[in-house]
Each structure stands twice: as C-alpha cells, then as structure tokens.
C-alpha cells in the first residue's frame, strides 16, 4: 500500500491544525490499542494452529491497514509531509504498536493543558470576581507574579511537549512505513539515471536545433547574400547593380538577425563575467517585447543554477515573442542561499504546450538540478512559467 504526506505551513492556523491533529491522534490511539489487544489474541491463536503458514490473520491485517491509512490521512491533513510510503500488514502493525504510546502521550499533554487553562480561569475568577480565594490565598502582587511566571513556564513546557509529540508522530510513520535506507538509495540512483538520460537528450535536442537553425537559416541567407553580390558584380547596368546591392544589404541584415537569435541559445559570455542579472538584462534588451525584470538574489548562485535560470528565462521570453501574441513580459528572479525561484509571465493568449520541445527541454534541464518546473498556460492566457532551483 502506498500513500504520501504533505508538509503543513507555519503560522497560528497551522498550529491550531496541528493541535487538532494531536487530539484526533489521541482518540485514534484508543481504537488502535483495542485493535492491538485483539490482534495479539488472534495472532497467538493463528501461530498456534496454522503451523506458521499465516502469521497475520486477515481480520487483523485489514484492521491494521485501515487504521494505518487513517493515521496517514491524519498526518497528511494535520501534521504531514510530502513523502511516499509503502507498507504491508506487518509494517502497519509495527507502526501501530509504536504510535499508540505517542498518541496517548499527546492526549495526556492536551489534558494537562486543558486542566491548566481551567485552573487559571478558576483562579482569576476567584481572585477578582467572586472573592472566593483558592486555599484562602489573597491575590497579592507577588502571588500573582509567582503564579503567572509558573503558568507561563508550564505552558511553554506543554507546548514543547506537543511539538515533540508531533515530531515523533512523523518520525514513527517514516521509520515504520517509509522506505528503508536501501530503498531510498535505489530510488535515488534510479532517479539520477533518468535525470542524466534526460539531460543528455535535452542537450542533444538543443544541439540539433542550433544546427538546424544554422543550416536552414543563417547558411541559406549567406548563400543568397553571396549570390546577390555576385549578380551585382556581373550586372552591366549601374541601376540594376545598385538594386542588387540593396537587396544584398537587406539579406545581410536578416542573416545577422538569424545569427543573433541562434547565439541566444548558446552560453552567453555575460553569464560568466557579470552574472545572471546582467545576462538577463541582455535578454531584455534583445527581446522584441518589453521585458520587465525584478531581480532579488543575494550573492551569486552556483554556476549550474545560473545557467539553468538563464535558459529558462531566455526560452520563455523567446516563446512569448514568437507564439503568444503578448505585449509585454514580466520576469521575477528571487531567492536565498538555498533556493532560486524564477517566474516568467506574459499577457499573451496562452495555450503553450508543456510537452513541446523547448519547454520539455527546460523541464529536463531543471530536473537535472533536482528543481521543479511548471507551465500554466490556459487558453486566453496569461502564460506563467515557474522554476525552482536548489542551490546546494
């Protein structure tokens, strides 16, 4: 059986959701405790009379997997993380055996929190509303201060206890239901093999595209240019020669435009010398569309990250100019020492195909760095291309 977790975001809402998850976990721990008690009896009976052929009775296996699935849903909804897990009946039982005390511990801490809150309310009401002082102790200033400090310390310890229980909940699930270290290594090796093959394909596709553009575009225009100049030299009429030279000049301009477009796809020298920001500004200057660039990256990212970010922006801007019908493009590059985020948005008609050669090549290039790449381009627009590139 396979399931995934998602990482909850921080903030008060996430804290309240986590507390609700721990409360639910305390309730399910009671049900799991009953299942484990029944499972112990049934498994002992099964081992005694089935001669070891069936260690986990079907009822126990179904119940354990059902409760494990319920716990996975709870972890995913309240405490979870994005991690695939794979388990069977024995793993599910082992997980429940370890999770029950953790869940009960969370319930005990929540009960202590509730008892402490009720005691604080009762104390405050007795001191300042009803005058019924607890243990006949009046609310002098030092008694109030002493009680407040003690209450804050106990609240801090209780909150830290809940944080620890939440961490144990996730840790137990990963250790019992998640893949083993060997499986993780195998998965990582397989992923790297696929990524390497994709990078080789992407580079090969890009090389063939550049060769095709040089052969069918620039080379043909240079041939036409040479023929025009040759015809101008052989023309006996000055007026005819001038017309041919004018055509040759126009053809040379078109050849230069084609060559400039091809050079966009070649590694830019500015990226080495002046960094990503200068290279992106060069892209904006050469673009036929107005390109607004927002750049907020401290320091210089690793060379491979800069290169990938540059080609993502360059290809997206080129596609916007050629195919989208956009009037402008916005590029935002932001990040930290650990992650660079790139976002390109145009106001065109949308409909970009993520499976197209250029975008698919960018996705493979980003995946080679363990990054993420996404294209959102509904019909009618706008088109938003995002990439997140880890820096370490």
């Amino acid at each position: 059986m396979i399931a995934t977790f998602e990482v909850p975001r921080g903030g008060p809402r996430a804290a309240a959701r986590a507390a609700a998850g721990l409360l639910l976990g305390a309730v399910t721990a009671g049900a799991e405790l009953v299942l484990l008690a029944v499972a112990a009896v049934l498994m002992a009976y099964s081992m005694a009379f089935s001669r070891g052929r069936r260690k986990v009775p079907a009822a126990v296996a179904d119940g354990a997997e059902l409760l494990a699935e319920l716990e996975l849903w709870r972890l995913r909804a309240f405490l979870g993380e994005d991690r695939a897990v794979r388990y069977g009946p024995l793993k599910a039982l082992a997980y429940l055996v370890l999770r029950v005390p953790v869940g009960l511990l969370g319930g005990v801490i929540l009960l202590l929190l509730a008892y402490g809150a009720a005691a604080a309310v009762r104390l405050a009401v007795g001191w300042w509303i009803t005058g019924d002082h607890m243990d006949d102790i009046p609310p002098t200033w030092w008694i109030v201060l002493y009680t407040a400090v003690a209450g804050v310390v106990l609240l801090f310890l209780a909150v830290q206890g809940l944080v620890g229980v939440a961490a144990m909940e996730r840790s137990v699930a990963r250790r019992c239901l998640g893949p083993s270290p060997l499986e993780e290594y195998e998965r990582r090796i397989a992923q790297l093999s696929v990524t390497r093959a994709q990078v080789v394909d992407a580079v090969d596709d890009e090389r063939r595209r550049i060769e095709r553009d040089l052969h069918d575009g620039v080379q043909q225009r240079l041939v036409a240019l040479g023929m025009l100049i040759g015809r101008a030299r052989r023309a006996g009429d000055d007026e005819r020669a001038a017309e041919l030279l004018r055509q040759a000049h126009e053809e040379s301009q078109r050849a230069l435009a084609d060559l400039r477009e091809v050079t966009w796809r070649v590694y830019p020298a500015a990226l080495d010398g002046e960094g990503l920001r200068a290279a992106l500004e060069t892209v904006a200057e050469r673009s036929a569309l107005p390109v607004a660039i927002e750049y907020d990256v401290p320091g210089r990212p690793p060379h491979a990250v800069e290169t990938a970010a540059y080609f993502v922006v360059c290809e997206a801007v080129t596609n916007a100019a050629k195919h989208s019908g956009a009037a402008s493009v916005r590029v935002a590059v932001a990040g930290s020492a650990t992650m660079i985020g790139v976002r390109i948005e145009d106001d065109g008609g949308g409909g970009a195909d993520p499976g197209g050669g250029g975008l698919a090549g960018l996705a493979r290039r980003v995946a080679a760095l363990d990054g993420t790449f996404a294209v959102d381009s509904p019909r009618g627009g706008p088109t938003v291309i995002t990439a997140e590139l880890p820096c370490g």
Side-chain angles (χ1 to χ4, degrees):
M1 187 169 292
I2 300 175
T4 59
F5 300 120
E6 294 176 358
V7 179
R9 295 182 177 180
R13 184 176 297 177
R17 189 166 62 246
L22 293 178
L23 179 61
L24 179 60
V27 175
T28 57
E32 291 156 6
L33 190 60
V34 173
L35 172 74
L36 291 176
V38 175
V41 175
L42 293 179
M43 290 184 69
Y45 177 85
S46 175
M47 293 180 67
F49 295 98
S50 65
R51 299 178 182 177
R53 288 176 299 178
R54 189 183 184 88
K55 294 183 179 179
V56 182
V60 175
D62 293 343
E65 290 186 345
L66 178 63
L67 287 175
E69 193 65 22
L70 174 63
E71 292 298 339
L72 292 177
W73 170 83
R74 183 178 63 84
L75 293 176
R76 184 171 53 246
F78 298 101
L79 307 170
E81 64 183 21
D82 189 7
R83 181 183 292 264
V85 297
R86 184 188 298 273
Y87 61 92
L90 283 177
K91 277 192 171 184
L93 274 174
Y95 166 64
L96 295 180
V97 168
L98 294 179
R99 202 212 77 79
V100 165
V102 177
L104 293 177
L105 177 61
V108 170
I109 296 176
L110 288 172
L111 280 176
L112 290 176
L113 265 177
Y115 176 79
V121 171
R122 181 186 168 194
L123 194 61
V125 170
W127 276 348
W128 293 301
I129 298 179
T130 64
D132 183 15
H133 302 159
M134 184 177 294
D135 296 331
D136 295 328
I137 299 175
T140 58
W141 69 269
W142 64 272
I143 286 291
V144 173
L145 179 62
Y146 169 80
T147 307
V149 170
V152 169
V153 171
L154 292 175
L155 177 62
F156 174 78
L157 293 177
V159 171
Q160 290 301 310
L162 290 179
V163 172
V165 169
M168 283 193 292
E169 289 264 24
R170 291 190 290 265
S171 176
V172 169
R174 292 174 195 170
R175 286 183 174 275
C176 295
L177 304 180
S180 65
L182 178 60
E183 292 172 333
E184 283 282 2
Y185 283 130
E186 291 176 346
R187 184 192 62 80
R188 182 60 177 160
I189 290 171
Q191 182 183 16
L192 291 176
S193 299
V194 172
T195 302
R196 185 184 61 179
Q198 289 177 340
V199 169
V200 172
D201 290 343
V203 172
D204 190 53
D205 290 344
E206 190 64 25
R207 179 184 58 79
R208 282 185 293 179
R209 189 165 64 159
I210 292 173
E211 290 176 351
R212 186 172 60 250
D213 289 345
L214 288 173
H215 182 268
D216 298 339
V218 178
Q219 179 175 293
Q220 296 303 317
R221 291 200 182 280
L222 290 177
V223 170
L225 175 62
M227 293 176 64
L228 286 170
I229 294 175
R231 290 171 59 190
R233 293 181 59 189
R234 293 191 298 271
D237 185 358
D238 292 344
E239 184 176 350
R240 176 60 178 164
E243 173 62 21
L244 290 171
L245 286 175
R246 185 190 63 79
Q247 294 179 17
H249 181 260
E250 292 177 354
E251 195 64 26
S252 69
Q253 297 300 313
R254 287 191 285 269
L256 281 174
D258 287 351
L259 186 59
R260 188 180 298 115
E261 186 174 337
V262 172
T263 58
W264 276 35
R265 297 171 187 154
V266 183
Y267 185 84
L271 197 54
D272 262 341
E274 303 175 53
L276 179 60
R277 183 170 194 162
L280 295 181
E281 288 173 349
T282 303
V283 172
E285 291 172 0
R286 291 178 175 178
S287 173
L289 295 175
V291 178
I293 295 181
E294 300 174 11
Y295 188 89
D296 183 17
V297 179
R300 286 197 64 170
H303 177 71
V305 173
E306 278 191 330
T307 304
Y310 170 80
F311 280 108
V312 167
V313 174
C314 191
E315 181 71 23
V317 170
T318 302
N319 285 347
K322 281 186 174 179
H323 309 299
S324 71
S328 63
V329 180
R330 295 181 62 84
V331 177
V333 182
S336 62
T338 58
M339 182 71 72
I340 298 295
V342 179
R343 174 187 172 90
I344 306 100
E345 179 176 358
D346 67 51
D347 55 359
D353 180 13
L359 294 177
L362 290 180
R364 291 194 291 266
R365 187 188 287 268
V366 173
L369 300 175
D370 285 339
T372 59
F373 180 82
V375 178
D376 182 16
S377 183
R379 290 289 177 187
T383 295
V384 179
I385 296 175
T386 57
E388 291 187 349
L389 299 160
C391 297

